Amino acid sequence: AEERRQAFEKLLNGLRSFVRGSRGDFWGGDTLGYVDCVLLPYAYRLYAIEHYRGADFAVPTSGEDGLWERYHAWFARATALEYVAGTLPEKQRYLRHVAKYAEGRARSKVGNAVRRGAAAHEYDDAIDGDKH
């Protein structure tokens, strides 16, 4: 649990850096740019962490001298763009899709390696599946 909390704090620190580096309505100014497009798919899916890990894993909605209000304003502007909104998955469908990972039920070589304590890239075909 502590490891998860520390990892989530690192994630929040990344969001803090993003907001502090922003130079307008979007990261680079007045229009959606590359940096916004890199972060946005991940930022959009952060609700899944809160859903499966609880309120302690929610992105704050306010505080830090308006930092979190600025983050959520950026998020609302970006996801309201028609060409962005059309690419975002439906939330309940996405939650069903990731449930097996959140609940430790995923069955793949990588999932099996992680469950046995190895790094995701250290899976072993003989131990973790796919024994063709």
Side-chain angles (χ1 to χ4, degrees):
E2 182 58 27
E3 184 178 349
R4 283 184 182 159
R5 186 74 201 140
Q6 289 173 0
F8 189 69
E9 189 58 37
K10 286 181 183 180
L11 184 149
L12 293 178
N13 285 337
L15 295 179
R16 288 179 182 103
S17 294
F18 171 81
V19 171
R20 290 179 182 132
S22 294
R23 297 184 289 267
D25 283 347
F26 297 99
W27 192 82
D30 295 331
T31 59
L32 188 75
Y34 183 72
V35 173
D36 302 293
C37 291
V38 169
L39 176 59
L40 194 54
Y42 300 100
Y44 178 78
R45 289 163 172 83
L46 290 176
Y47 69 91
I49 296 173
E50 179 182 3
H51 178 84
Y52 286 108
R53 298 295 177 242
D56 288 344
F57 292 88
V59 175
T61 56
S62 62
E64 299 184 39
D65 293 323
L67 181 138
W68 295 114
E69 292 87 345
R70 291 192 308 277
Y71 167 78
H72 287 285
W74 162 81
F75 183 80
R77 278 190 299 277
T79 56
L81 296 169
E82 184 178 329
Y83 53 88
V84 170
T87 68
L88 302 173
E90 190 275 318
K91 287 185 175 185
Q92 290 304 313
R93 183 175 180 207
Y94 184 72
L95 288 174
R96 286 190 304 274
H97 170 71
V98 299
K100 61 184 169 261
Y101 301 101
E103 297 165 357
R105 296 182 291 112
R107 294 294 175 241
S108 67
K109 290 192 291 186
V110 170
N112 292 343
V114 169
R115 272 188 294 286
R116 70 176 170 81
H121 65 278
E122 295 174 335
Y123 63 81
D124 180 315
D125 285 338
I127 297 171
D128 298 313
D130 260 5
K131 300 175 186 173
H132 324 32

